[in-house]
Amino acid sequence: MSLNKSYIISVLLLVSSPIASAESLRDPTLPGKGFAVVGHASQAQAQAMVLNSIVSSGNTAYAVINNKILSVGDSIEGQSIVKITPTYVSLSDGRKLTLFQAITER
């Protein structure tokens, strides 16, 4: 009976050892050492505007900027829309948001 106990104990030790070593392995999906999470977006990222599309209906033109439908005189991120053409939108700070050429060629 003591032979069976020692055999069972040795088998249990062998079986449990890979589990112990697997627990010490590092999760490959975790960020590497030195990874830092930035809490606030930089000012350039906060002011980035994307012109998604321009739609004209009669004499009225609408621009979709950052997925919001806007017309001349509306404001987005502190800037007013001054002009909407078929290819670009002018903002009150002098910036022009333009559509990609592939969109305007359709």
Side-chain angles (χ1 to χ4, degrees):
M1 182 96 171
S2 67
L3 181 62
N4 287 339
K5 279 186 180 181
S6 63
Y7 177 73
I8 292 173
I9 290 173
S10 62
V11 169
L12 287 175
L13 288 174
L14 289 174
V15 171
S16 64
S17 64
I19 295 171
S21 65
E23 289 175 0
S24 64
L25 293 176
R26 186 181 174 284
D27 182 359
T29 62
L30 291 175
K33 293 179 183 176
F35 177 80
V37 177
V38 178
H40 300 286
S42 68
Q43 192 172 16
Q45 289 175 333
Q47 294 180 357
M49 285 191 249
V50 176
L51 177 60
N52 303 108
S53 65
I54 296 173
V55 178
S56 296
S57 175
N59 293 335
T60 308
Y62 298 96
V64 181
I65 300 173
N66 293 352
N67 298 319
K68 295 179 184 174
I69 300 171
L70 305 163
S71 61
V72 174
D74 290 342
S75 294
I76 183 165
E77 295 185 17
Q79 302 300 318
S80 296
I81 296 177
V82 178
K83 183 178 181 180
I84 300 175
T85 72
T87 58
Y88 70 88
V89 173
S90 294
L91 301 174
S92 59
D93 66 352
R95 285 188 286 176
K96 283 187 179 179
L97 304 176
T98 58
L99 291 174
F100 287 108
Q101 185 176 3
I103 295 173
T104 59
E105 288 179 352
R106 291 184 187 178

Coordinates of all heavy atoms in Angstrom, one line a residue:
M1 N 0.8 -1.2 0.0 CA 0.0 0.0 0.0 C 0.9 1.3 0.0 O 0.5 2.2 -0.6 CB -0.9 -0.1 1.2 CG -1.8 1.1 1.3 SD -3.4 0.6 0.6 CE -4.4 1.9 1.0
S2 N 2.0 1.2 0.7 CA 2.9 2.4 0.7 C 3.5 2.7 -0.6 O 3.8 3.8 -1.0 CB 3.9 2.3 1.8 OG 4.8 1.2 1.5
L3 N 3.7 1.6 -1.4 CA 4.2 1.8 -2.8 C 3.2 2.5 -3.6 O 3.6 3.4 -4.4 CB 4.5 0.4 -3.4 CG 5.1 0.4 -4.8 CD1 6.4 1.1 -4.8 CD2 5.3 -1.0 -5.3
N4 N 2.0 2.2 -3.5 CA 1.0 2.9 -4.3 C 0.9 4.4 -3.9 O 0.7 5.3 -4.7 CB -0.4 2.2 -4.1 CG -0.5 0.9 -4.8 OD1 0.3 0.7 -5.7 ND2 -1.4 0.1 -4.4
K5 N 1.0 4.7 -2.5 CA 0.9 6.1 -2.1 C 2.1 6.9 -2.7 O 1.9 8.0 -3.1 CB 1.0 6.1 -0.6 CG -0.3 5.9 0.1 CD -0.2 6.1 1.6 CE -1.6 5.9 2.2 NZ -1.5 6.2 3.7
S6 N 3.3 6.3 -2.6 CA 4.5 7.1 -3.1 C 4.3 7.2 -4.7 O 4.7 8.3 -5.2 CB 5.8 6.3 -2.8 OG 5.8 5.1 -3.4
Y7 N 3.8 6.2 -5.3 CA 3.6 6.3 -6.8 C 2.6 7.4 -7.1 O 2.8 8.2 -8.0 CB 3.2 5.0 -7.3 CG 2.9 5.0 -8.8 CD1 3.9 5.1 -9.7 CD2 1.5 5.0 -9.2 CE1 3.6 5.1 -11.1 CE2 1.3 5.0 -10.6 CZ 2.3 5.0 -11.5 OH 2.0 5.1 -12.8
I8 N 1.5 7.5 -6.4 CA 0.5 8.5 -6.6 C 1.0 9.9 -6.3 O 0.7 10.8 -7.0 CB -0.8 8.1 -5.7 CG1 -1.4 6.9 -6.2 CG2 -1.8 9.3 -5.7 CD1 -2.6 6.4 -5.4
I9 N 1.8 10.0 -5.2 CA 2.3 11.3 -4.9 C 3.3 11.8 -5.9 O 3.2 13.0 -6.3 CB 3.0 11.3 -3.5 CG1 1.9 11.1 -2.4 CG2 3.8 12.5 -3.2 CD1 2.4 10.9 -1.0
S10 N 4.1 10.9 -6.4 CA 5.1 11.3 -7.5 C 4.4 11.7 -8.8 O 4.7 12.6 -9.5 CB 6.1 10.2 -7.7 OG 5.5 9.1 -8.2
V11 N 3.3 11.0 -9.1 CA 2.5 11.3 -10.3 C 1.8 12.6 -10.1 O 1.8 13.5 -11.1 CB 1.5 10.2 -10.6 CG1 0.5 10.6 -11.7 CG2 2.2 8.9 -11.0
L12 N 1.3 12.9 -9.0 CA 0.6 14.2 -8.7 C 1.7 15.3 -8.8 O 1.3 16.4 -9.3 CB -0.1 14.2 -7.4 CG -1.3 13.4 -7.3 CD1 -1.9 13.3 -5.9 CD2 -2.4 13.9 -8.2
L13 N 2.8 15.1 -8.3 CA 3.9 16.2 -8.4 C 4.3 16.4 -9.8 O 4.5 17.6 -10.2 CB 5.1 15.8 -7.5 CG 4.9 15.8 -6.0 CD1 6.1 15.3 -5.3 CD2 4.6 17.3 -5.6
L14 N 4.4 15.4 -10.6 CA 4.8 15.6 -12.0 C 3.6 16.3 -12.8 O 3.9 17.1 -13.6 CB 5.1 14.2 -12.7 CG 6.4 13.6 -12.2 CD1 6.5 12.2 -12.8 CD2 7.5 14.4 -12.7
V15 N 2.4 15.9 -12.5 CA 1.3 16.5 -13.2 C 1.1 18.0 -12.8 O 0.8 18.9 -13.6 CB 0.0 15.7 -12.9 CG1 -1.2 16.4 -13.4 CG2 0.1 14.3 -13.5
S16 N 1.3 18.3 -11.5 CA 1.1 19.7 -11.0 C 2.3 20.6 -11.4 O 2.1 21.8 -11.4 CB 0.9 19.7 -9.5 OG 2.1 19.2 -8.9
S17 N 3.4 20.1 -11.7 CA 4.6 21.0 -12.0 C 4.4 21.8 -13.3 O 4.7 23.0 -13.3 CB 5.9 20.2 -12.1 OG 5.8 19.3 -13.1
P18 N 3.8 21.3 -14.4 CA 3.5 22.2 -15.5 C 2.5 23.3 -15.2 O 2.6 24.4 -15.8 CB 3.0 21.2 -16.6 CG 3.5 19.9 -16.2 CD 3.5 19.9 -14.7
I19 N 1.6 23.0 -14.4 CA 0.6 24.1 -14.0 C 1.3 25.2 -13.3 O 1.0 26.4 -13.5 CB -0.5 23.4 -13.1 CG1 -1.3 22.4 -14.0 CG2 -1.4 24.5 -12.6 CD1 -2.3 21.6 -13.1
A20 N 2.2 24.9 -12.4 CA 2.9 25.9 -11.7 C 3.8 26.8 -12.6 O 3.9 28.0 -12.5 CB 3.8 25.3 -10.6
S21 N 4.4 26.1 -13.6 CA 5.2 26.9 -14.5 C 4.4 27.7 -15.5 O 4.8 28.8 -15.9 CB 6.2 26.0 -15.3 OG 5.5 25.1 -16.1
A22 N 3.2 27.2 -15.8 CA 2.3 28.0 -16.7 C 1.8 29.3 -16.0 O 1.6 30.3 -16.6 CB 1.1 27.1 -17.1
E23 N 1.7 29.2 -14.7 CA 1.2 30.4 -13.9 C 2.3 31.5 -14.0 O 1.9 32.7 -13.8 CB 0.9 30.0 -12.5 CG -0.4 29.2 -12.4 CD -0.7 28.7 -11.0 OE1 0.1 29.0 -10.1 OE2 -1.7 28.0 -10.8
S24 N 3.5 31.1 -14.1 CA 4.6 32.1 -14.1 C 4.8 32.8 -15.5 O 5.6 33.7 -15.6 CB 5.9 31.5 -13.5 OG 6.3 30.5 -14.4
L25 N 4.2 32.2 -16.5 CA 4.3 32.8 -17.8 C 3.6 34.1 -17.9 O 2.6 34.4 -17.4 CB 3.8 31.8 -18.9 CG 4.5 30.5 -19.1 CD1 3.8 29.6 -20.1 CD2 6.0 30.8 -19.5
R26 N 4.2 35.0 -18.7 CA 3.6 36.4 -18.9 C 2.5 36.3 -20.0 O 2.7 35.6 -21.0 CB 4.7 37.3 -19.4 CG 4.3 38.7 -19.5 CD 5.4 39.6 -19.9 NE 4.9 41.0 -20.2 CZ 4.2 41.4 -21.2 NH1 3.9 40.5 -22.1 NH2 3.8 42.6 -21.4
D27 N 1.4 37.0 -19.8 CA 0.4 37.1 -20.8 C 0.8 37.9 -22.0 O 1.2 39.0 -21.8 CB -0.9 37.8 -20.1 CG -2.1 37.8 -21.0 OD1 -1.9 37.3 -22.2 OD2 -3.1 38.3 -20.6
P28 N 0.9 37.3 -23.2 CA 1.4 38.0 -24.3 C 0.5 39.1 -24.8 O 1.0 40.0 -25.6 CB 1.5 36.9 -25.4 CG 0.5 35.9 -25.0 CD 0.5 35.9 -23.5
T29 N -0.7 39.2 -24.4 CA -1.6 40.3 -24.8 C -1.5 41.5 -23.9 O -2.0 42.6 -24.3 CB -3.1 39.8 -24.8 OG1 -3.4 39.5 -23.4 CG2 -3.3 38.6 -25.7
L30 N -0.7 41.4 -22.8 CA -0.5 42.6 -22.0 C 0.5 43.6 -22.6 O 1.4 43.1 -23.4 CB 0.0 42.2 -20.6 CG -1.0 41.4 -19.7 CD1 -0.3 41.0 -18.4 CD2 -2.2 42.3 -19.4
P31 N 0.4 44.9 -22.4 CA 1.4 45.8 -23.0 C 2.7 45.5 -22.4 O 2.9 45.1 -21.3 CB 0.9 47.2 -22.5 CG -0.4 47.0 -21.9 CD -0.7 45.5 -21.7
G32 N 3.8 45.8 -23.1 CA 5.1 45.6 -22.7 C 5.5 46.5 -21.6 O 4.8 47.5 -21.2
K33 N 6.7 46.3 -21.0 CA 7.2 47.2 -19.9 C 7.5 48.5 -20.5 O 7.9 48.7 -21.7 CB 8.5 46.6 -19.3 CG 8.2 45.3 -18.6 CD 9.5 44.7 -18.0 CE 9.2 43.4 -17.3 NZ 10.5 42.8 -16.9
G34 N 7.2 49.6 -19.8 CA 7.4 50.9 -20.3 C 6.2 51.5 -21.0 O 6.2 52.6 -21.4
F35 N 5.2 50.7 -21.1 CA 3.9 51.2 -21.7 C 3.3 52.2 -20.8 O 3.1 51.9 -19.6 CB 3.0 50.0 -22.0 CG 1.7 50.4 -22.6 CD1 1.5 50.7 -23.9 CD2 0.5 50.5 -21.8 CE1 0.3 51.1 -24.5 CE2 -0.7 50.9 -22.3 CZ -0.8 51.2 -23.7
A36 N 2.9 53.3 -21.3 CA 2.3 54.4 -20.5 C 1.0 54.7 -21.1 O 0.9 54.9 -22.3 CB 3.2 55.6 -20.4
V37 N 0.0 54.9 -20.3 CA -1.4 55.3 -20.8 C -1.4 56.8 -20.7 O -1.2 57.3 -19.6 CB -2.5 54.6 -20.0 CG1 -3.8 55.1 -20.4 CG2 -2.4 53.1 -20.1
V38 N -1.8 57.4 -21.8 CA -1.9 58.9 -21.7 C -3.3 59.2 -21.4 O -4.3 58.8 -22.0 CB -1.6 59.5 -23.1 CG1 -1.7 61.0 -23.1 CG2 -0.2 59.1 -23.5
G39 N -3.5 60.0 -20.3 CA -4.8 60.3 -19.8 C -5.6 61.4 -20.6 O -6.8 61.3 -20.8
H40 N -4.9 62.3 -21.2 CA -5.5 63.4 -22.0 C -5.0 63.4 -23.4 O -3.8 63.2 -23.6 CB -5.2 64.7 -21.3 CG -5.7 64.8 -19.9 ND1 -7.0 64.9 -19.6 CD2 -5.1 64.8 -18.7 CE1 -7.2 65.0 -18.3 NE2 -6.0 64.9 -17.7
A41 N -5.9 63.7 -24.3 CA -5.5 63.8 -25.7 C -4.7 65.1 -25.9 O -5.0 66.1 -25.2 CB -6.7 63.8 -26.6
S42 N -3.8 65.0 -26.8 CA -3.0 66.2 -27.0 C -3.9 67.3 -27.7 O -5.0 67.0 -28.2 CB -1.8 65.9 -27.9 OG -2.2 65.6 -29.2
Q43 N -3.5 68.5 -27.7 CA -4.3 69.6 -28.2 C -4.5 69.4 -29.7 O -5.6 69.7 -30.2 CB -3.6 70.9 -27.9 CG -4.5 72.1 -28.2 CD -3.9 73.4 -27.7 OE1 -2.7 73.5 -27.4 NE2 -4.7 74.4 -27.6
A44 N -3.5 68.9 -30.4 CA -3.6 68.7 -31.9 C -4.7 67.6 -32.2 O -5.5 67.7 -33.1 CB -2.3 68.3 -32.5
Q45 N -4.7 66.6 -31.3 CA -5.7 65.5 -31.5 C -7.1 66.0 -31.2 O -8.1 65.7 -31.8 CB -5.4 64.3 -30.7 CG -4.2 63.5 -31.2 CD -3.9 62.4 -30.2 OE1 -4.2 62.4 -29.0 NE2 -3.2 61.4 -30.7
A46 N -7.2 66.9 -30.2 CA -8.5 67.4 -29.7 C -9.1 68.3 -30.8 O -10.3 68.4 -30.9 CB -8.4 68.1 -28.4
Q47 N -8.3 69.0 -31.6 CA -8.8 69.9 -32.6 C -8.9 69.3 -34.0 O -9.2 70.0 -34.9 CB -7.9 71.2 -32.6 CG -8.0 72.0 -31.3 CD -7.1 73.2 -31.4 OE1 -6.4 73.4 -32.3 NE2 -7.1 74.0 -30.3
A48 N -8.5 68.1 -34.1 CA -8.6 67.4 -35.4 C -10.0 67.3 -35.9 O -10.9 66.8 -35.1 CB -7.9 66.1 -35.4
M49 N -10.3 67.7 -37.1 CA -11.6 67.6 -37.6 C -11.6 66.9 -38.9 O -10.6 67.1 -39.7 CB -12.3 69.0 -37.9 CG -12.7 69.7 -36.6 SD -13.7 71.1 -36.9 CE -12.6 72.4 -36.4
V50 N -12.5 66.0 -39.1 CA -12.5 65.2 -40.3 C -13.8 65.5 -41.1 O -14.9 65.4 -40.6 CB -12.5 63.7 -40.0 CG1 -12.6 62.8 -41.2 CG2 -11.3 63.3 -39.2
L51 N -13.6 65.9 -42.4 CA -14.7 66.1 -43.3 C -15.1 64.8 -43.9 O -14.4 64.2 -44.7 CB -14.3 67.1 -44.4 CG -15.4 67.5 -45.4 CD1 -16.6 68.1 -44.8 CD2 -14.8 68.4 -46.5
N52 N -16.3 64.3 -43.4 CA -16.7 63.0 -43.9 C -17.4 63.1 -45.3 O -17.1 62.2 -46.1 CB -17.7 62.4 -42.9 CG -17.1 62.2 -41.5 OD1 -17.5 62.9 -40.6 ND2 -16.2 61.3 -41.4
S53 N -18.2 64.1 -45.5 CA -18.9 64.2 -46.8 C -19.5 65.6 -46.9 O -19.7 66.3 -45.9 CB -20.0 63.1 -47.0 OG -21.0 63.3 -46.1
I54 N -19.9 65.9 -48.1 CA -20.7 67.2 -48.4 C -21.9 66.8 -49.3 O -21.8 66.0 -50.2 CB -19.8 68.2 -49.2 CG1 -18.6 68.6 -48.3 CG2 -20.6 69.4 -49.6 CD1 -17.5 69.4 -49.0
V55 N -23.0 67.3 -48.9 CA -24.3 67.0 -49.6 C -24.9 68.3 -49.9 O -25.1 69.2 -49.1 CB -25.2 66.2 -48.7 CG1 -26.5 65.9 -49.4 CG2 -24.6 64.9 -48.3
S56 N -25.4 68.5 -51.2 CA -26.1 69.7 -51.6 C -27.5 69.3 -51.9 O -27.8 68.3 -52.6 CB -25.4 70.3 -52.9 OG -24.1 70.7 -52.5
S57 N -28.4 70.2 -51.5 CA -29.8 70.0 -51.8 C -30.4 71.4 -52.2 O -30.7 72.2 -51.3 CB -30.6 69.5 -50.6 OG -31.9 69.4 -50.8
G58 N -30.5 71.6 -53.5 CA -31.0 72.9 -54.0 C -29.9 74.0 -53.7 O -28.8 73.8 -54.1
N59 N -30.3 75.0 -53.0 CA -29.4 76.1 -52.7 C -28.7 75.9 -51.3 O -27.9 76.7 -50.9 CB -30.1 77.4 -52.6 CG -30.6 77.9 -54.0 OD1 -30.1 77.5 -55.0 ND2 -31.7 78.6 -54.1
T60 N -29.1 74.8 -50.6 CA -28.5 74.5 -49.3 C -27.5 73.4 -49.4 O -27.7 72.4 -50.0 CB -29.6 74.1 -48.3 OG1 -30.7 75.1 -48.4 CG2 -29.1 74.0 -46.9
A61 N -26.3 73.7 -48.7 CA -25.3 72.6 -48.7 C -25.1 72.2 -47.2 O -25.1 73.1 -46.3 CB -24.0 73.2 -49.3
Y62 N -24.8 71.0 -47.0 CA -24.5 70.4 -45.7 C -23.2 69.7 -45.7 O -22.8 69.1 -46.7 CB -25.6 69.4 -45.3 CG -27.0 70.1 -45.2 CD1 -27.9 70.0 -46.2 CD2 -27.4 70.7 -44.0 CE1 -29.1 70.5 -46.2 CE2 -28.6 71.3 -44.0 CZ -29.5 71.2 -45.0 OH -30.8 71.8 -44.9
A63 N -22.5 69.9 -44.6 CA -21.2 69.2 -44.5 C -21.3 68.2 -43.3 O -21.9 68.6 -42.3 CB -20.1 70.2 -44.2
V64 N -20.7 67.1 -43.4 CA -20.7 66.1 -42.3 C -19.2 66.2 -41.8 O -18.3 65.7 -42.5 CB -21.1 64.7 -42.8 CG1 -21.0 63.8 -41.6 CG2 -22.5 64.7 -43.4
I65 N -19.1 66.7 -40.6 CA -17.8 66.9 -40.0 C -17.8 66.1 -38.7 O -18.7 66.4 -37.9 CB -17.4 68.4 -39.8 CG1 -17.4 69.1 -41.1 CG2 -16.0 68.5 -39.1 CD1 -17.2 70.6 -41.0
N66 N -16.8 65.2 -38.5 CA -16.8 64.4 -37.3 C -18.2 63.7 -37.1 O -18.7 63.7 -36.0 CB -16.4 65.2 -36.1 CG -15.0 65.7 -36.2 OD1 -14.2 65.3 -37.0 ND2 -14.6 66.5 -35.2
N67 N -18.8 63.3 -38.2 CA -20.1 62.6 -38.1 C -21.2 63.4 -37.6 O -22.2 62.9 -37.1 CB -20.0 61.3 -37.3 CG -19.0 60.3 -37.9 OD1 -18.9 60.2 -39.1 ND2 -18.2 59.7 -37.1
K68 N -21.1 64.7 -37.8 CA -22.2 65.7 -37.4 C -22.6 66.4 -38.7 O -21.8 66.9 -39.4 CB -21.8 66.6 -36.3 CG -21.5 66.0 -35.0 CD -21.0 67.0 -34.0 CE -20.6 66.3 -32.7 NZ -20.0 67.2 -31.7
I69 N -23.9 66.5 -38.9 CA -24.4 67.3 -40.1 C -24.5 68.8 -39.7 O -25.2 69.1 -38.8 CB -25.8 66.7 -40.5 CG1 -25.7 65.2 -40.8 CG2 -26.3 67.5 -41.7 CD1 -27.1 64.6 -41.0
L70 N -23.8 69.6 -40.5 CA -23.7 71.0 -40.3 C -23.9 71.8 -41.5 O -23.8 71.3 -42.6 CB -22.3 71.3 -39.7 CG -21.9 70.5 -38.5 CD1 -20.4 70.6 -38.3 CD2 -22.6 71.0 -37.2
S71 N -24.4 73.1 -41.4 CA -24.5 74.0 -42.5 C -23.8 75.3 -42.2 O -23.2 75.4 -41.1 CB -26.0 74.2 -42.8 OG -26.6 74.8 -41.7
V72 N -23.7 76.2 -43.2 CA -23.0 77.4 -43.0 C -23.6 78.2 -41.8 O -24.8 78.3 -41.6 CB -23.2 78.3 -44.3 CG1 -22.6 79.7 -44.1 CG2 -22.5 77.6 -45.5
G73 N -22.7 78.7 -40.9 CA -23.1 79.4 -39.7 C -23.1 78.5 -38.5 O -23.0 79.0 -37.4
D74 N -23.1 77.2 -38.7 CA -23.1 76.3 -37.5 C -21.6 76.2 -37.0 O -20.7 76.6 -37.7 CB -23.5 74.8 -37.9 CG -25.0 74.7 -38.2 OD1 -25.7 75.6 -37.8 OD2 -25.4 73.7 -38.9
S75 N -21.5 75.8 -35.7 CA -20.2 75.8 -35.1 C -19.9 74.3 -34.7 O -20.8 73.5 -34.3 CB -20.2 76.6 -33.8 OG -20.3 78.0 -34.1
I76 N -18.6 74.0 -34.8 CA -18.1 72.7 -34.3 C -16.7 73.0 -33.7 O -15.8 73.6 -34.3 CB -18.0 71.7 -35.4 CG1 -17.5 70.3 -34.9 CG2 -17.2 72.1 -36.6 CD1 -17.8 69.2 -35.8
E77 N -16.5 72.5 -32.5 CA -15.3 72.6 -31.7 C -14.8 74.1 -31.7 O -13.6 74.4 -31.9 CB -14.2 71.7 -32.3 CG -14.5 70.2 -32.1 CD -13.4 69.3 -32.6 OE1 -12.3 69.7 -32.7 OE2 -13.7 68.1 -32.8
G78 N -15.7 75.0 -31.5 CA -15.4 76.4 -31.4 C -15.1 77.2 -32.7 O -14.8 78.3 -32.7
Q79 N -15.3 76.5 -33.8 CA -15.1 77.1 -35.1 C -16.4 77.2 -35.9 O -17.2 76.2 -35.9 CB -14.1 76.4 -35.9 CG -12.7 76.3 -35.3 CD -12.1 77.6 -35.0 OE1 -12.2 78.5 -35.8 NE2 -11.5 77.7 -33.8
S80 N -16.7 78.3 -36.6 CA -17.9 78.4 -37.4 C -17.6 78.0 -38.8 O -16.5 78.2 -39.3 CB -18.4 79.9 -37.4 OG -18.8 80.3 -36.1
I81 N -18.6 77.5 -39.4 CA -18.5 77.1 -40.9 C -18.8 78.4 -41.7 O -19.9 78.9 -41.5 CB -19.4 76.0 -41.2 CG1 -19.0 74.7 -40.4 CG2 -19.4 75.7 -42.7 CD1 -19.8 73.5 -40.7
V82 N -17.9 78.8 -42.5 CA -18.0 80.0 -43.3 C -18.6 79.7 -44.7 O -19.4 80.4 -45.2 CB -16.7 80.8 -43.4 CG1 -16.8 82.0 -44.2 CG2 -16.1 81.1 -42.0
K83 N -18.1 78.6 -45.3 CA -18.4 78.3 -46.7 C -18.4 76.8 -46.9 O -17.5 76.2 -46.4 CB -17.4 79.0 -47.6 CG -17.7 78.9 -49.1 CD -16.7 79.7 -49.9 CE -17.0 79.5 -51.4 NZ -16.0 80.3 -52.2
I84 N -19.3 76.3 -47.7 CA -19.4 74.9 -48.1 C -19.4 74.9 -49.6 O -20.3 75.4 -50.2 CB -20.6 74.2 -47.5 CG1 -20.5 74.2 -46.0 CG2 -20.6 72.7 -48.0 CD1 -21.7 73.6 -45.3
T85 N -18.4 74.3 -50.2 CA -18.4 74.1 -51.7 C -18.5 72.6 -51.9 O -18.5 71.8 -51.0 CB -17.1 74.6 -52.3 OG1 -16.0 73.7 -51.9 CG2 -16.8 76.0 -51.9
P86 N -18.6 72.1 -53.2 CA -18.7 70.7 -53.5 C -17.5 69.9 -53.1 O -17.5 68.7 -52.9 CB -18.9 70.6 -55.0 CG -19.5 71.9 -55.3 CD -18.9 72.9 -54.4
T87 N -16.3 70.6 -52.9 CA -15.1 69.8 -52.5 C -14.4 70.2 -51.2 O -13.6 69.5 -50.7 CB -14.0 70.0 -53.7 OG1 -13.8 71.4 -53.8 CG2 -14.5 69.4 -55.0
Y88 N -14.8 71.3 -50.6 CA -14.2 71.7 -49.3 C -15.1 72.6 -48.5 O -16.1 73.0 -48.9 CB -12.9 72.5 -49.6 CG -13.0 73.9 -50.2 CD1 -13.2 75.0 -49.3 CD2 -13.0 74.1 -51.5 CE1 -13.3 76.2 -49.9 CE2 -13.1 75.3 -52.1 CZ -13.3 76.4 -51.2 OH -13.4 77.7 -51.8
V89 N -14.7 72.7 -47.2 CA -15.4 73.5 -46.2 C -14.4 74.5 -45.6 O -13.3 74.1 -45.2 CB -16.0 72.6 -45.1 CG1 -16.6 73.5 -44.0 CG2 -17.1 71.7 -45.7
S90 N -14.8 75.8 -45.6 CA -14.0 76.8 -45.0 C -14.4 77.1 -43.5 O -15.6 77.2 -43.3 CB -14.0 78.1 -45.8 OG -13.5 78.0 -47.0
L91 N -13.5 77.2 -42.6 CA -13.8 77.4 -41.2 C -13.4 78.9 -40.9 O -12.6 79.5 -41.6 CB -13.0 76.4 -40.3 CG -13.4 75.0 -40.6 CD1 -12.4 74.1 -39.7 CD2 -14.8 74.7 -40.3
S92 N -13.9 79.4 -39.7 CA -13.7 80.7 -39.3 C -12.2 81.0 -39.0 O -11.8 82.2 -39.0 CB -14.6 81.1 -38.2 OG -14.3 80.2 -37.1
D93 N -11.5 80.0 -38.6 CA -10.0 80.2 -38.3 C -9.1 80.2 -39.5 O -7.9 80.2 -39.4 CB -9.6 79.2 -37.3 CG -9.6 77.8 -37.7 OD1 -10.1 77.5 -38.9 OD2 -9.1 76.9 -37.0
G94 N -9.7 80.0 -40.7 CA -9.0 80.0 -42.0 C -8.6 78.6 -42.5 O -8.1 78.5 -43.6
R95 N -8.9 77.6 -41.8 CA -8.7 76.3 -42.3 C -9.7 75.9 -43.3 O -10.8 76.3 -43.3 CB -8.7 75.2 -41.1 CG -7.6 75.3 -40.2 CD -7.6 74.1 -39.2 NE -8.6 74.4 -38.2 CZ -9.0 73.6 -37.3 NH1 -8.4 72.4 -37.2 NH2 -9.9 73.9 -36.4
K96 N -9.2 75.0 -44.2 CA -10.1 74.4 -45.2 C -10.0 72.9 -45.1 O -9.0 72.3 -45.1 CB -9.6 74.8 -46.7 CG -10.0 76.1 -47.1 CD -9.6 76.3 -48.5 CE -10.0 77.7 -49.0 NZ -9.7 78.0 -50.4
L97 N -11.2 72.3 -44.9 CA -11.3 70.8 -44.8 C -11.7 70.4 -46.2 O -12.7 70.8 -46.7 CB -12.3 70.4 -43.8 CG -12.1 70.9 -42.4 CD1 -13.3 70.5 -41.5 CD2 -10.8 70.5 -41.8
T98 N -10.9 69.5 -46.8 CA -11.2 69.0 -48.2 C -11.5 67.5 -48.2 O -11.0 66.8 -47.3 CB -10.0 69.3 -49.1 OG1 -8.8 68.6 -48.6 CG2 -9.7 70.7 -49.2
L99 N -12.2 67.1 -49.2 CA -12.6 65.7 -49.4 C -11.4 65.0 -50.1 O -10.7 65.7 -50.8 CB -13.9 65.6 -50.2 CG -15.2 66.0 -49.5 CD1 -16.3 65.9 -50.5 CD2 -15.5 65.1 -48.3
F100 N -11.3 63.7 -49.9 CA -10.3 63.0 -50.7 C -10.7 63.0 -52.2 O -11.9 63.0 -52.5 CB -10.2 61.5 -50.2 CG -9.5 61.4 -48.9 CD1 -10.3 61.1 -47.8 CD2 -8.2 61.6 -48.8 CE1 -9.6 60.9 -46.5 CE2 -7.5 61.5 -47.6 CZ -8.3 61.1 -46.4
Q101 N -9.7 63.0 -53.0 CA -10.0 63.0 -54.5 C -10.9 61.9 -54.9 O -11.7 62.1 -55.8 CB -8.7 63.0 -55.2 CG -8.8 63.2 -56.7 CD -7.5 63.3 -57.4 OE1 -6.4 63.2 -56.8 NE2 -7.5 63.5 -58.7
A102 N -10.7 60.7 -54.4 CA -11.5 59.6 -54.8 C -13.0 59.8 -54.5 O -13.8 59.3 -55.3 CB -11.0 58.3 -54.0
I103 N -13.3 60.5 -53.5 CA -14.7 60.8 -53.2 C -15.3 61.8 -54.2 O -16.4 61.7 -54.6 CB -14.9 61.3 -51.7 CG1 -14.5 60.2 -50.8 CG2 -16.3 61.8 -51.4 CD1 -14.4 60.7 -49.3
T104 N -14.5 62.8 -54.5 CA -15.0 63.9 -55.4 C -15.1 63.5 -56.9 O -15.8 64.1 -57.7 CB -14.1 65.2 -55.3 OG1 -12.8 64.8 -55.7 CG2 -14.2 65.7 -53.9
E105 N -14.4 62.4 -57.3 CA -14.4 61.9 -58.7 C -15.6 61.1 -59.0 O -15.8 60.8 -60.2 CB -13.1 61.1 -59.0 CG -11.9 62.0 -59.0 CD -10.6 61.2 -59.3 OE1 -10.7 59.9 -59.3 OE2 -9.6 61.8 -59.5
R106 N -16.4 60.7 -58.1 CA -17.5 59.8 -58.4 C -18.6 60.4 -59.2 O -19.0 61.4 -59.3 CB -18.2 59.3 -57.1 CG -17.2 58.3 -56.4 CD -17.9 57.7 -55.2 NE -17.0 57.0 -54.5 CZ -17.2 56.4 -53.3 NH1 -18.4 56.5 -52.8 NH2 -16.4 55.7 -52.7

